Amino acid sequence: MKESALYAEIGDYARVETAQADVLTVLEERFGGQAAAACRDAVQRVTNRDKLRRLLRLAARCANIEAFQRGLRRR
């Protein structure tokens, strides 16, 4: 079955939303809800899945929320 363009677009949108949520979940787990909330808008503006993968790795390994925010601004 051939995938329609609309179906593919919806799937891409869902994957981006999931990746954004994953980044925010890691931030919340590591640094608390306020820290994640402070980054929410900026993370949700990122729609490139490769960039979101890099942000997820950064969220998992950065020393503090400030280091994540610096990395977020560079991306």
Side-chain angles (χ1 to χ4, degrees):
M1 183 168 114
K2 188 173 179 178
E3 194 173 283
S4 74
L6 178 60
Y7 183 76
E9 186 176 329
I10 291 169
D12 286 341
Y13 181 77
R15 284 185 283 276
V16 166
E17 279 192 332
T18 298
Q20 292 166 338
D22 291 345
V23 171
L24 294 168
T25 297
V26 171
L27 291 175
E28 183 175 356
E29 185 66 28
R30 294 198 62 219
F31 305 114
Q34 287 183 328
C39 298
R40 184 173 320 283
D41 289 342
V43 169
Q44 289 178 334
R45 282 192 296 271
V46 179
T47 57
N48 180 285
R49 290 191 351 227
D50 290 332
K51 290 180 183 179
L52 287 164
R53 273 191 286 275
R54 288 192 294 271
L55 288 175
L56 181 60
R57 289 184 186 106
L58 178 61
R61 72 173 191 270
C62 62
N64 52 47
I65 194 65
E66 291 81 12
F68 178 81
Q69 289 170 326
R70 284 191 302 274
L72 180 58
R73 284 191 294 270
R74 283 189 286 242
R75 307 228 186 267

